[in-house]
């Protein structure tokens, strides 16, 4: 153990190399994390044929999960001036369960060319989750082996905690399906859902929908030798969403607060509300219209579908940004805070050849989306979150940042960068610094110069699915692409700002008089002039195409299976995310986050795994 570097790992030194970069090898060795999960799920059902056209079905589904997480932080350091922390052990145990009970009554009857199906039902779902955790410090270590006694009866300064969540959903639903001669099709659904996540007056919501289709190719007047099937369809319906925590409509109270009272200022325990509560939370409701046409050609080998959709989401459940001065000190509360509109086109084309021994199919689809904010609620028409602005009439979460205009190459460029009145805009700048656009023309760079510079929403998305089979071999490949979005590279905005002594990417070469042909500004310690996180410097093209899946399998012949006692067996070799084509420099262009306002912000999400697997499926 080195006294200057406890733990024995190298990192910054005040006398030799003042850097706050972390030593990744030290972190890998000094922190141990173990995640364990056991999941069991099952389903039971029973059916009773009451009459020939009438059937009753009941089903019970159950799923349970046991999670066990341990974290051990050993003695040692991995960065300069790191505050001393003794060996720490944290252990969490969680348990979840979901119970689903469904009961349905189905009536199915044909009357000549008429076909009628009516379904009525009820369902109940209960979700439980419980967590308990404990932490100890100064965990003992075996001086001979170096092993830590990683159980919670060791150490001291014990801390414990835990919580329980429960959510209930009860639903009543009915569906009617009518078909006349396979020419006229009608489907109507009504469901009423009640959820415990909302306040007493808003738990229930009703959501109807209706759809219809006309198969023109079945009409007597339809005469075509090259169209095998032609159908037009439309639907109008509503859906509800309750995707929030179990108790968001209740006040969040901190029971650990204290206050000094009396002449001796004795500490008294108390409680304070730390997050504003909204008891008027209700269902988020999506209303959608779809209008489409389906056609088949070449003896049904080629199928084409085109659809136009209009979607409106009312009462969007979002965490609304509030000032702390309002008394909201525990995170932004959920509200039904907006109305969103989406519309676009979806085109799908499929071709399948199954008449020969070599069979194959190809499906391609194209989707476009036009996103628009129809309302924000609370008499607001604009809101700012991070580097985005959301404004009524515009797409949600548009990028709102300062614009950059290259780098100053010499002192003359700094002196000659003036507004219309001859005022030098960035007088303190040096060669190699970023030149910012003075969009309001006042001769200064301020937040008033920020403008909308792009959208996080893709212009269109593409999908491609290919399948083939020959004798015992089967092949499958899926591609997905998203094009036209601008995304914010959060990790780069931290690693490439050069304002402190953190680690930087090895390939980055900042501006110097000897290296002027670069877009990377000069490294300037303890200054924000080139380190601002609210500029278009960190925005990138988020377009990508990715092979999501590729697999090949072989069905072992029955002649061989009989010798080993199997009924069937298949060998599968597959890969996921093996190829990604993109100009994005982050870890993964297909990232996601939980912020509706900052959809295109890459917070450094863990990338999608690239996997290769070999499997064997068999049955007796």
């Amino acid at each position: 153990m080195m006294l200057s570097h406890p733990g024995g790992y190298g990192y910054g030194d005040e006398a030799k190399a003042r850097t706050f970069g972390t030593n990744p090898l030290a972190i890998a060795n000094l922190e141990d994390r173990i995640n364990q999960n056991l999941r069991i799920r099952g389903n039971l059902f029973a059916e009773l044929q009451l009459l020939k056209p009438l059937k009753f079905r009941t089903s019970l589904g159950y799923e349970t999960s046991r999670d066990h997480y341990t974290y051990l932080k050993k003695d040692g350091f991995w960065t300069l001036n790191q505050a001393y922390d003794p060996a720490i052990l944290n252990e969490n145990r969680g348990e979840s369960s979901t119970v689903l009970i469904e009961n349905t009554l189905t009536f199915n009857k044909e009357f000549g060319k008429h076909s009628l199906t009516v379904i009525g039902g009820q369902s109940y779902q209960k979700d439980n989750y419980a967590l308990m955790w404990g932490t100890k410090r100064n965990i003992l270590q075996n001086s001979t082996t170096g092993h830590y006694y990683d159980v919670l009866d060791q150490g001291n300064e014990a801390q414990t905690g835990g919580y329980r969540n429960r959510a209930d959903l009860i639903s009543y639903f009915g569906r009617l399906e009518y078909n006349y001669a396979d020419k006229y099709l009608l489907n109507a659904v009504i469901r009423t859902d009640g959820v415990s996540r909302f306040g007493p007056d808003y738990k229930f919501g009703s959501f109807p929908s209706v759809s219809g289709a006309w198969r023109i190719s079945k009409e007597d007047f339809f005469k075509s030798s090259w169209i095998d099937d032609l159908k037009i369809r439309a639907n109008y319906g509503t859906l509800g969403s309750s995707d929030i925590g179990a108790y968001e409509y209740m006040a969040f109270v901190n029971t650990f607060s204290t206050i000094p009272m009396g002449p001796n200022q004795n500490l008294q325990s108390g409680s304070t509300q730390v997050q504003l509560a909204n008891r008027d939370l209700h269902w988020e409701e999506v209303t959608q219209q779809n209008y489409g046409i389906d056609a088949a050609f070449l003896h049904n080998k080629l199928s084409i579908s085109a659809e136009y959709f209009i979607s409106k989401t009312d009462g969007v459940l979002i965490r609304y940004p509030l000032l702390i001065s309002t008394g909201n000190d525990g995170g932004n509360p959920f509200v039904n805070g907006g109305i969103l509109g989406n519309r676009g086109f979806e085109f799908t084309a499929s071709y399948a050849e199954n008449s020969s021994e070599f069979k194959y199919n190809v499906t391609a689809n194209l989707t476009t989306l036009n996103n628009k904010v129809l309302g924000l609620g609370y008499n607001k028409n604009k809101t700012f979150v991070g580097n985005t602005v959301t404004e009524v009439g515009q797409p949600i979460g548009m990028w709102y940042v300062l614009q950059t205009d290259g780098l100053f190459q010499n002192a003359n460029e700094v002196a000659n960068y003036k507004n219309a009145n001859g005022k030098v805009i960035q007088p303190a700048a040096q060669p190699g610094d970023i030149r910012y656009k003075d969009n309001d023309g006042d001769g200064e760079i301020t937040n008033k110069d920020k403008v909308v510079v792009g959208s996080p929403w893709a212009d269109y998305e593409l999908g491609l699915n290919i399948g083939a089979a020959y004798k015992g071999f089967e092949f499958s490949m899926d591609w997905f692409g998203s094009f036209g979005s601008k995304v914010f590279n959060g990790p780069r905005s931290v690693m490439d700002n050069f304002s402190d002594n953190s680690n930087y990417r090895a390939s980055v070469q900042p501006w110097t008089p000897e290296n002027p042909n670069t877009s990377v500004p000069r490294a300037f310690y303890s200054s924000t002039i080139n380190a601002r996180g609210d500029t278009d410097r960190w925005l990138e093209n988020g377009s990508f195409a990715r092979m999501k899946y590729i697999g090949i399998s072989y069905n072992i012949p029955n002649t061989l299976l009989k010798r080993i006692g199997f009924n069937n067996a298949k060998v599968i070799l597959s890969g996921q995310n093996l190829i990604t084509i993109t100009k994005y420099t982050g870890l993964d262009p297909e990232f996601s986050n939980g912020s509706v306002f900052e959809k295109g912000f890459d917070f450094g999400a863990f990338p999608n795994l690239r996997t290769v697997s070999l499997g064997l499926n068999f049955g007796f």
Side-chain angles (χ1 to χ4, degrees), residues 1 5-11 23-33 71-79 82 85-88 141 148:
M1 172 93 51
H5 284 186
Y9 290 93
Y11 42 81
N23 186 324
L25 292 178
I27 293 177
N29 186 56
L30 297 177
E31 288 189 323
D32 286 343
R33 289 179 171 87
Y71 168 77
L72 173 65
K73 183 255 173 211
K74 306 173 185 177
D75 280 321
F77 291 74
W78 50 74
T79 189
Q82 184 177 348
D85 233 350
I88 299 172
Q141 181 182 19
Y148 284 81

Side-chain angles (χ1 to χ4, degrees), residues 309-554:
F309 61 87
I310 303 172
S311 175
K312 178 183 176 183
T313 305
D314 200 352
V316 180
L317 289 165
I318 55 174
R319 290 193 179 277
Y320 211 75
L322 295 179
L323 297 175
I324 297 179
S325 58
T326 62
N328 186 62
D329 192 26
N332 295 320
F334 271 100
V335 300
N336 295 98
I339 306 174
L340 301 181
N342 291 292
R343 59 181 61 207
F345 289 93
E346 184 169 352
F347 304 93
T348 303
S350 300
Y351 185 85
E353 176 59 73
N354 298 312
S355 59
S356 63
E357 192 171 15
F358 176 68
K359 300 176 176 60
Y360 64 92
N361 60 83
V362 179
T363 299
N365 60 72
L366 166 68
T367 303
T368 67
L369 178 67
N370 181 13
N371 171 274
K372 183 183 291 187
V373 178
L374 304 178
L376 285 172
Y378 301 94
N379 297 318
K380 297 188 70 172
N381 64 359
K382 184 185 295 187
T383 187
F384 300 89
V385 177
N387 290 324
T388 71
V389 59
T390 297
E391 187 174 3
V392 174
Q394 299 296 322
I396 190 170
M398 298 291 283
W399 295 118
Y400 184 73
V401 293
L402 292 176
Q403 289 181 293
T404 59
D405 187 23
L407 306 178
F408 293 111
Q409 294 296 329
N410 51 61
N412 287 334
E413 290 188 4
V414 176
N416 292 326
Y417 186 42
K418 304 175 182 179
N419 70 350
N421 298 324
K423 181 179 179 181
V424 177
I425 298 173
Q426 292 179 247
Q430 299 293 322
D433 287 342
I434 296 175
R435 177 169 48 230
Y436 298 102
K437 290 186 178 182
D438 179 25
N439 286 314
D440 68 349
D442 67 353
E444 298 177 338
I445 302 301
T446 65
N447 285 335
K448 295 179 180 179
D449 295 307
K450 292 183 177 181
V451 293
V452 173
V453 298
S455 170
W457 300 93
D459 294 329
Y460 59 94
E461 294 179 340
L462 292 174
L464 178 64
N465 310 102
I466 300 174
Y470 179 70
K471 295 185 177 181
F473 290 94
E474 296 177 3
F475 171 80
S476 178
M477 181 169 62
D478 300 330
W479 283 81
F480 173 76
S482 176
F483 305 92
S485 65
K486 274 193 175 181
V487 298
F488 194 97
N489 193 327
R492 267 198 60 206
S493 71
V494 176
M495 291 186 292
D496 289 9
N497 63 41
F498 304 120
S499 64
D500 59 19
N501 290 326
S502 299
N503 279 346
Y504 309 120
R505 293 184 298 131
S507 60
V508 173
Q509 297 295 324
W511 184 98
T512 65
E514 296 75 28
N515 181 41
N517 298 319
T518 178
S519 61
V520 182
R522 71 184 177 113
F524 191 0
Y525 175 70
S526 72
S527 171
T528 60
I529 189 170
N530 296 325
R532 297 189 64 150
D534 56 351
T535 77
D536 63 4
R537 178 185 172 194
W538 315 114
L539 290 178
E540 299 186 29
N541 183 350
S543 300
F544 71 92
R546 166 170 283 168
M547 187 173 70
K548 299 288 293 182
Y549 175 85
I550 185 171
I552 186 169
S553 64
Y554 179 67

Side-chain angles (χ1 to χ4, degrees), residues 24-216:
L25 292 178
I27 293 177
N29 186 56
L30 297 177
E31 288 189 323
D32 286 343
R33 289 179 171 87
I34 299 175
N35 271 305
Q36 295 176 310
N37 174 263
L38 172 64
R39 179 170 296 176
I40 301 173
R41 61 173 66 125
N43 182 268
L44 295 173
F45 73 91
E47 291 183 348
L48 180 61
Q49 198 76 41
L50 301 174
L51 299 170
K52 187 175 181 180
L54 188 63
K55 180 174 64 176
F56 173 76
R57 176 187 172 100
T58 183
S59 65
L60 171 64
Y62 181 75
E63 179 176 343
T64 184
S65 176
R66 303 292 188 270
D67 301 304
H68 183 201
Y69 169 77
T70 58
Y71 168 77
L72 173 65
K73 183 255 173 211
K74 306 173 185 177
D75 280 321
F77 291 74
W78 50 74
T79 189
L80 179 63
N81 291 346
Q82 184 177 348
Y84 174 72
D85 233 350
I88 299 172
L89 176 64
N90 173 257
E91 189 168 356
N92 297 356
R93 291 186 181 269
E95 178 181 322
S96 68
S97 66
T98 297
V99 176
L100 176 63
I101 302 172
E102 292 183 317
N103 298 290
T104 59
L105 193 63
T106 303
F107 176 85
N108 193 319
K109 184 73 173 176
E110 292 187 4
F111 310 89
K113 293 183 178 181
H114 302 272
S115 176
L116 179 65
T117 301
V118 180
I119 299 176
Q122 169 270 336
S123 70
Y124 171 70
Q125 180 175 322
K126 180 175 72 173
D127 295 298
N128 280 316
Y129 184 79
L131 174 73
M132 56 187 296
W133 61 268
T135 297
K136 283 286 194 72
R137 298 163 67 87
N138 298 298
I139 302 301
L140 298 180
Q141 181 182 19
N142 187 313
S143 59
T144 302
T145 65
H147 174 76
Y148 284 81
Y149 297 100
D150 52 352
V151 287
L152 286 176
D153 67 340
Q154 301 296 318
N156 52 33
E157 300 181 34
Q159 291 181 318
T160 59
Y163 63 87
R164 292 194 303 267
N165 283 341
R166 173 175 169 173
D168 295 76
L169 174 66
I170 189 168
S171 303
Y172 305 93
F173 50 87
R175 185 173 72 196
L176 180 148
E177 298 177 6
Y178 172 74
N179 182 333
Y180 175 74
D182 204 25
K183 289 192 294 186
Y184 312 116
L185 300 96
L186 176 67
N187 187 303
V189 176
I190 177 69
R191 63 178 299 132
T192 297
D193 298 308
V195 69
S196 63
R197 301 174 189 270
F198 299 134
D201 299 328
Y202 302 97
K203 293 187 182 297
F204 283 88
S206 294
F207 310 103
S209 64
V210 62
S211 63
W214 177 27
R215 179 164 276 114
I216 304 174

